[in-house]
Amino acid sequence: MEQSPSLTILLLVLGLSQAQMDHSGPAMWIDHLEAVDITERILTANNGSDEMLMEGDLVVPRTRNAMQCMQGGNSCLWNKASSGYVEVPYTIEDSRFTPSNRKEIEHAVQSFHSKTCIHFVPRGNQKDYISFESLNGCYSSLGRIGGKQTVSVNSVGCIFLGIIQHETLHALGFQHEQTRSDRDQYIRINWSNIDSNMAYNFDKQNTNNLNTPYDYSSVMHYGKTAFSTNGMDTITPIPNPDVSIGQRQGLSTTDILRINRLYGC
């Protein structure tokens, strides 16, 4: 039996209506967003940045103090107060942050309070302090450098708990996990999948590993395809290549342990 033109149109309209009511499209988008790891978000946000960056999000050191920090020294640590807490003054002073952005930054810095002796305090007249700003990407200097220290968490691409914690940990003196001095026992760098001009981003550092295990789940570990030129893995866990690296949830148990060991909590 043939369908009349009017019935065909009616069925088409009903089909379109059901498609609009089908939430699989938005749900799939949300699932994709949640699946994007910290590395991809940071490197995407920093694409085209005019800041001189190492390893994707570390501001190139401009002082001897910062160079000593890069070499594993303790001169870049924040000072412990008489209260026993390491008080880090901070401001959120960029007008481009929305109230929601500010709330997420506050949540990220306060997440350190219950698990470590790091306490972020609103800046009064302290000389050394962290200034959270919405600049052209997600990046930070390494360790305390003196004076105003900018941590950029762009209001468009960087306002995620794990990213804010990641950049804040840089400011506290922590480097990327994949650059650890002993990393070759735990990961293989696939140089053939990396642009030769970007290979310096995978240089090993003389890190203070604080007698803690290599942590694939660290918020400071980049994902498997960081700086890939062809979509293939640049970082492969060994001996098991299927181990997941590069996450988005936030501080791992070992991240917390290292903070407490480095700062004597």
Side-chain angles (χ1 to χ4, degrees), residues 39 43 178 183 187-195 198-199 201-202 221-237 245:
T39 307
L43 296 183
Q178 73 274 1
R183 63 105 183 270
I187 59 172
R188 181 179 69 252
I189 305 299
N190 303 310
W191 301 102
S192 61
N193 297 331
I194 304 167
D195 186 320
M198 292 291 171
N201 290 299
F202 292 88
H221 205 308
Y222 270 13
K224 291 183 178 181
T225 60
F227 295 99
S228 177
T229 59
N230 53 17
M232 299 181 68
D233 289 356
T234 56
I235 304 173
T236 300
I245 62 174

Side-chain angles (χ1 to χ4, degrees), residues 4-256:
S4 68
S6 59
L7 179 59
T8 301
I9 292 172
L10 178 60
L11 290 173
L12 178 61
V13 170
L14 288 172
L16 288 173
S17 299
Q18 292 215 344
Q20 289 177 340
M21 293 173 63
D22 182 0
H23 298 292
S24 63
M28 287 176 64
W29 168 248
I30 292 170
D31 288 344
H32 172 72
L33 183 61
E34 289 300 315
V36 176
D37 69 31
I38 288 171
T39 307
E40 186 175 339
R41 286 174 175 164
I42 289 175
L43 296 183
T44 299
N46 292 351
N47 186 30
S49 172
D50 55 6
E51 189 71 44
M52 293 184 64
L53 301 174
M54 301 185 304
E55 300 173 24
D57 70 334
L58 275 172
V59 176
V60 173
R62 295 181 175 87
T63 66
R64 177 173 296 183
N65 179 63
M67 287 305 298
Q68 291 173 346
C69 186
M70 288 292 290
Q71 295 165 3
N74 291 327
S75 60
C76 60
L77 299 185
W78 295 81
N79 297 322
K80 184 175 288 188
S82 57
S83 63
Y85 294 115
V86 177
E87 295 184 351
V88 181
Y90 76 101
T91 61
I92 307 174
E93 58 186 51
D94 200 307
S95 62
R96 285 168 289 192
F97 287 130
T98 66
S100 177
N101 293 158
R102 292 174 179 273
K103 184 176 180 180
E104 190 66 20
I105 295 171
E106 292 283 2
H107 173 54
V109 297
Q110 289 174 15
S111 68
F112 289 83
H113 295 186
S114 63
K115 301 172 183 177
T116 75
C117 61
I118 305 294
H119 277 213
F120 289 88
V121 297
R123 185 200 177 211
N125 60 357
Q126 297 96 327
K127 176 185 175 183
D128 297 348
Y129 68 101
I130 289 175
S131 173
F132 290 98
E133 300 181 20
S134 178
L135 302 180
N136 55 344
C138 327
Y139 52 80
S140 173
S141 300
L142 184 63
R144 179 177 56 84
I145 61 175
K148 175 183 175 180
Q149 182 164 338
T150 300
V151 172
S152 176
V153 282
N154 186 275
S155 59
V156 175
C158 308
I159 304 298
F160 299 93
L161 175 65
I163 290 180
I164 300 167
Q165 289 178 335
H166 180 106
E167 301 305 338
T168 302
L169 277 170
H170 279 321
L172 292 175
F174 289 89
Q175 295 174 253
H176 291 129
E177 188 73 356
Q178 73 274 1
T179 64
R180 269 177 60 140
S181 56
D182 61 351
R183 63 105 183 270
D184 291 335
Q185 300 175 46
Y186 306 97
I187 59 172
R188 181 179 69 252
I189 305 299
N190 303 310
W191 301 102
S192 61
N193 297 331
I194 304 167
D195 186 320
S196 59
N197 293 324
M198 292 291 171
Y200 68 90
N201 290 299
F202 292 88
D203 289 345
K204 284 190 295 186
Q205 303 296 335
N206 182 23
T207 54
N208 178 3
N209 299 325
L210 298 164
N211 197 29
T212 59
Y214 192 91
D215 184 14
Y216 296 113
S217 64
S218 171
V219 76
M220 304 306 288
H221 205 308
Y222 270 13
K224 291 183 178 181
T225 60
F227 295 99
S228 177
T229 59
N230 53 17
M232 299 181 68
D233 289 356
T234 56
I235 304 173
T236 300
I238 52 177
N240 183 2
D242 295 327
V243 169
S244 176
I245 62 174
Q247 48 105 340
R248 57 196 177 278
Q249 288 82 13
L251 297 174
S252 71
T253 300
T254 303
D255 287 330
I256 295 167

